[in-house]
């Protein structure tokens, strides 16, 4: 008799870059999305490489998106373990395909769970579902996470939702910020034939049509208890990404996170301590990233967490998202004492008018002061920039380039503006003449093609900091390679070499070099 697995949880699907790009181009992705991701690649012998693949080729030190377990998956798995479900976790869909096939053949698998929080598009998700429908067409597939929340939000018409859910090919969809309880109920429904509960934001099929339970906000059990990382010790091969709070109390015009993630909530300090203790008990963990949108707000709570880390003498280093306009020297000194190694700063623009349009509630001078303090205490800085938000033009881009060259954050990640109807800017859609969606848009001051040219301009115009590609690397890649043993200088050297290939390709493709802000004979690489 076959042993049973109540739920097979499938982690990251890290597709080959060339295959991923071809899926974007041929299976529904926009031309601008394809071009944007292409700009984030280096071409070597006519083949596209992500920075992670480049690192493997030139340093023998690969970066994989599967190196870390997302906290969303760890939270679901912890909940299911505590409910005494039999589960199996897959870290890497691509690397473990044969293992998955063996499990499906040798064991009775009741459900397959695909969390989608780590994906920016449905392409890797469709790829996995196609595989499972081939090898286990009878096993119900559950999908949860941000992709499902975005595609089924209340602003989407029913015909669109039906089309997306049918095209994905899943059997149950959990459109809930805290999916643990709903997933548990679905498993019980499949295994024990129990009726599905109501109010858990679950889409399921009835008479060939997806219906949903009542859409309500369920307070997240995840934030009233910790994740027990000791359960996953054997599967921890890189940094741990954790959080002490959920969602965000700010309302930046470009950002859909507050609406997607429900109200801002925090773990109690006791639960933060419990989770950090469980991380410290995993002797193979050297790096932690706090992925709270507002980790240092309110400042009093942030200082309390810093004092806790100092008092407990945890051995790991940590990184986090930080709003540097709220930093003072006392706080930064505490951060350094608490073994903070680096921070991710959502700078977004170095132009004051653009910051005001984005409702950032900050001045450029505040940013200067915050970055200066962090550099004074030798804390690594990663600055993100959003390119193409309504109002952006080449003048604002020039101001941003000058700001970056003046303040010199260690790394800069230029991000193409993604237009979401859930973001507050939607209220001004008509006034700003916004058309399109996602990476395919135009508005009063530019279109997406012009924004892509501005990303080139940043790559060539920023000299004092190192530009980092977003596609298949971003800040997680930086932190993971540091965790593997690279120094900051070695990491800068690696990314600079990668950027030489990116620049050379742009120079080869563009006969009009004006938008690059450079002469091809004098361009810095």
């Amino acid at each position: 008799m076959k042993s049973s697995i109540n739920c097979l949880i499938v982690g990251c699907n890290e597709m080959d870059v060339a295959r991923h790009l071809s899926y974007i181009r041929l299976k529904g992705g926009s031309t601008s999305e394809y071009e944007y991701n292409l700009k984030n690649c280096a071409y070597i012998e006519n083949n596209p490489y992500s920075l992670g693949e480049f690192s493997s080729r030139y340093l023998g030190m690969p970066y994989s998106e599967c190196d870390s377990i997302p906290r969303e998956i760890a939270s679901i798995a912890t909940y299911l373990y505590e409910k005494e479900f039999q589960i199996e976790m897959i870290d890497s869909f691509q690397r473990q395909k044969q293992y998955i096939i063996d499990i499906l053949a040798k064991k009775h698998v009741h459900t397959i769970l695909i969390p989608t929080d780590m994906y920016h598009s449905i392409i890797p998700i469709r790829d996995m579902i196609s595989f499972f429908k081939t090898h286990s067409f009878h096993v119900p597939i559950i999908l949860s996470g941000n992709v499902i929340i975005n595609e089924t939000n209340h602003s989407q018409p029913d015909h669109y939702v039906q089309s997306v859910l049918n095209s994905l090919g899943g059997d149950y969809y959990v459109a809930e910020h805290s999916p643990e309880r709903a997933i548990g109920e679905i498993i019980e429904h499949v295994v024990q034939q129990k009726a599905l509960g109501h109010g858990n934001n679950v889409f399921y099929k009835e008479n060939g049509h997806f219906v949903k339970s009542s859409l309500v906000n369920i307070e997240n059990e995840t934030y009233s208890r910790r994740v027990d990382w000791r359960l996953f010790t054997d599967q921890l091969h890189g940094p741990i990404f954790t959080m002490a709070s959920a969602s965000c109390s700010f309302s930046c015009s470009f950002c859909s996170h507050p609406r997607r993630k429900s109200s801002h909530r925090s773990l109690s300090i006791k639960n933060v301590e419990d989770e950090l203790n469980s991380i410290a008990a995993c002797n193979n963990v050297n790096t932690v990233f706090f992925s709270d949108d507002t980790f240092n707000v309110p400042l009093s709570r942030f200082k309390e967490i810093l004092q806790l880390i100092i008092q407990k003498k945890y051995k790991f280093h940590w990184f986090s998202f930080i709003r540097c306009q709220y930093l003072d020297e006392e706080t930064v000194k505490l951060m350094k004492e608490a073994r903070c190694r680096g921070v991710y700063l959502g700078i977004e623009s170095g132009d004051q008018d653009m910051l005001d349009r984005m409702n950032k509630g900050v001045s450029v001078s505040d940013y200067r002061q915050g970055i200066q303090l962090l550099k004074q205490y030798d804390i690594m800085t990663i600055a993100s920039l959003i390119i193409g938000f309504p109002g952006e033009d080449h003048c604002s881009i020039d101001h941003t380039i000058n700001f970056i060259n003046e303040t010199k954050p260690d790394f800069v990640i230029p991000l193409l503006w993604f237009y979401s109807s859930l973001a507050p800017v939607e209220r001004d859609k008509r006034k700003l003449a916004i058309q399109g969606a996602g990476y395919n848009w135009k508005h009063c001051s530019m279109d997406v093609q012009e924004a892509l040219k501005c990303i080139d301009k940043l790559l060539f115009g920023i000299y004092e900091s190192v530009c980092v590609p977003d596609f298949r690397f971003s800040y997680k890649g930086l932190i993971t390679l540091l965790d593997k043993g690279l120094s900051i200088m070695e990491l800068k050297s690696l990314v600079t070499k990668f950027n030489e290939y990116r620049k050379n390709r742009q120079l080869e493709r563009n006969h009009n070099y004006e938008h690059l802000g450079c002469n091809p004979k004098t361009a810095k690489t």
Side-chain angles (χ1 to χ4, degrees):
M1 184 177 177
K2 292 182 179 180
S3 59
S4 293
I5 295 175
N6 300 138
C7 188
L8 180 67
I9 305 176
V10 186
C12 179
N13 180 13
E14 189 174 44
M15 300 170 67
D16 171 80
V17 166
R19 182 163 166 257
H20 194 161
L21 289 171
S22 115
Y23 263 69
I24 293 173
R25 194 172 196 179
L26 300 175
K27 299 200 175 184
S30 66
T31 301
S32 51
E33 180 184 8
Y34 174 78
E35 286 292 326
Y36 173 49
N37 289 327
L38 202 63
K39 285 180 183 294
N40 281 276
C41 293
Y43 261 73
I44 304 169
E45 299 173 357
N46 293 320
N47 293 311
Y49 284 78
S50 68
L51 180 48
E53 293 172 332
F54 184 85
S55 173
S56 179
R57 176 172 175 142
Y58 283 90
L59 292 181
M61 185 178 286
Y63 161 68
S64 169
E65 294 169 297
C66 309
D67 286 337
S68 300
I69 301 175
R71 191 184 192 276
E72 294 84 357
I73 290 180
S75 173
I76 293 167
T78 298
Y79 179 88
L80 296 180
Y81 273 128
E82 290 177 354
K83 296 296 181 181
E84 299 184 349
F85 288 109
Q86 298 298 312
I87 71 172
E88 179 87 21
M89 290 177 60
I90 300 298
D91 299 326
S92 168
F93 173 73
Q94 293 293 337
R95 289 199 301 255
Q96 294 178 271
K97 274 185 176 178
Q98 187 55 53
Y99 179 64
I100 294 171
I101 291 170
D102 292 342
I103 287 177
L104 293 171
K106 297 175 182 178
K107 297 189 178 183
H108 184 195
V109 178
H110 293 111
T111 62
I112 295 166
L113 171 65
I114 301 176
T116 66
D117 299 273
M118 67 199 86
Y119 303 113
H120 300 292
S121 79
I122 63 176
I123 289 169
I125 303 166
R126 281 178 172 165
D127 182 54
M128 287 187 285
I129 292 176
S130 175
F131 170 88
F132 284 116
K133 291 298 183 183
T134 300
H135 293 279
S136 58
F137 65 90
H138 61 285
V139 180
I141 297 174
I142 308 166
L143 286 91
S144 67
N146 288 335
V147 171
I148 307 307
I149 293 170
N150 291 345
E151 297 294 345
T152 61
N153 75 77
H154 62 81
S155 68
Q156 304 287 13
D158 183 66
H159 68 84
Y160 175 84
V161 172
Q162 295 295 325
S163 174
V164 169
L165 299 188
N166 277 302
S167 68
L168 281 173
D171 299 285
Y172 300 92
Y173 298 90
V174 182
E176 173 56 54
H177 306 286
S178 316
E180 295 85 356
R181 186 166 67 183
I183 290 168
E185 288 192 3
I186 293 170
I187 296 171
E188 288 182 338
H189 167 70
V190 173
V191 176
Q192 303 173 17
Q193 301 301 304
K194 284 189 176 181
L196 277 175
H198 296 286
N200 284 337
N201 300 342
V202 174
F203 288 79
Y204 56 96
K205 251 185 180 176
E206 272 189 3
N207 302 319
H209 187 85
F210 278 100
V211 297
K212 63 187 177 185
S213 57
S214 301
L215 280 174
V216 296
N217 286 324
I218 301 171
E219 284 303 313
N220 191 348
E221 293 182 4
T222 305
Y223 298 101
S224 64
R225 61 179 178 79
R226 61 183 174 81
V227 170
D228 189 350
W229 290 98
R230 293 170 298 181
L231 296 170
F232 317 109
T233 300
D234 294 339
Q235 293 168 282
L236 298 175
H237 309 297
I240 280 182
F241 291 80
T242 188
M243 55 176 56
S245 63
S247 196
C248 179
S249 55
F250 292 80
S251 186
C252 299
S253 299
F254 56 84
C255 184
S256 63
H257 284 194
R259 285 188 68 186
R260 286 196 292 105
K261 295 184 178 180
S262 188
S263 59
H264 181 254
R265 289 149 294 151
S266 300
L267 276 169
S268 69
I269 296 298
K270 176 62 169 61
N271 282 339
V272 172
E273 180 179 359
D274 287 344
E275 182 157 336
L276 294 180
N277 286 343
S278 78
I279 292 172
C282 304
N283 295 323
N284 53 341
V285 176
N286 301 311
T287 305
V288 170
F289 186 93
F290 291 96
S291 53
D292 308 48
D293 291 316
T294 54
F295 189 44
N296 64 314
V297 179
L299 187 59
S300 58
R301 182 174 186 272
F302 180 54
K303 287 183 177 180
E304 194 173 352
I305 293 173
L306 294 178
Q307 294 285 10
L308 168 68
I309 294 172
I310 294 167
Q311 178 188 344
K312 299 291 290 189
K313 298 181 180 179
Y314 296 125
K315 294 181 180 180
F316 51 76
H317 293 278
W318 58 272
F319 297 78
S320 74
F321 295 126
I322 286 289
R323 293 179 181 266
C324 67
Q325 65 267 37
Y326 296 105
L327 294 176
D328 55 33
E329 186 165 4
E330 178 194 358
T331 305
V332 177
K333 187 176 180 180
L334 275 176
M335 289 167 63
K336 187 66 177 179
E337 188 179 352
R339 297 174 66 84
C340 175
R341 192 174 183 187
V343 293
Y344 181 109
L345 310 174
I347 298 297
E348 320 313 3
S349 180
D351 179 270
Q352 188 60 56
D353 179 60
M354 288 306 301
L355 292 176
D356 294 342
R357 287 172 178 269
M358 293 175 177
N359 194 34
K360 289 290 291 182
V362 64
S363 69
V364 173
S365 60
D366 289 337
Y367 278 158
R368 285 195 184 96
Q369 180 179 347
I371 293 173
Q372 182 181 356
L373 274 173
L374 291 163
K375 294 181 79 68
Q376 179 182 330
Y377 282 86
D378 197 28
I379 293 175
M380 188 183 89
T381 47
I382 306 168
S384 69
L385 303 172
I386 292 177
I387 309 303
F389 188 78
E392 189 90 89
D393 56 24
H394 282 273
C395 182
S396 64
I397 291 294
D398 288 341
H399 289 164
T400 296
I401 290 172
N402 291 338
F403 170 79
I404 294 297
N405 285 333
E406 174 193 345
T407 56
K408 304 177 180 64
D410 293 291
F411 298 97
V412 175
I413 305 177
L415 305 169
L416 181 65
W417 177 53
F418 183 92
Y419 172 37
S420 168
S421 62
L422 293 178
V425 72
E426 178 71 7
R427 294 192 294 262
D428 298 320
K429 178 179 180 177
R430 181 172 296 182
K431 182 176 76 172
L432 298 171
I434 304 173
Q435 298 178 43
Y439 288 122
N440 187 29
W441 50 259
K442 62 180 179 179
H443 52 63
C444 57
S445 63
M446 68 169 52
D447 61 19
V448 69
Q449 292 303 318
E450 198 63 28
L452 288 168
K453 291 178 182 178
C454 290
I455 288 178
D456 290 340
K457 193 173 183 179
L458 286 159
L459 180 63
F460 282 85
I462 291 174
Y463 304 140
E464 302 295 339
S465 305
V466 180
C467 283
V468 176
D470 176 43
F471 178 58
R472 300 287 292 271
F473 196 80
S474 195
Y475 68 94
K476 290 185 178 179
L478 293 174
I479 292 165
T480 301
L481 290 185
L482 289 171
D483 181 71
K484 288 177 181 284
L486 282 188
S487 67
I488 292 177
M489 289 307 298
E490 289 170 332
L491 188 54
K492 286 183 175 181
S493 177
L494 170 71
V495 184
T496 300
K497 181 68 176 175
F498 180 80
N499 286 341
E500 289 177 9
Y501 284 93
R502 294 174 66 197
K503 291 179 182 180
N504 287 338
R505 177 164 176 81
Q506 292 308 315
L507 292 173
E508 289 169 2
R509 297 180 75 199
N510 291 282
H511 300 292
N512 177 8
Y513 302 99
E514 184 178 348
H515 79 270
L516 300 178
C518 70
N519 183 300
K521 294 181 180 179
T522 61
K524 291 191 178 184
T525 56

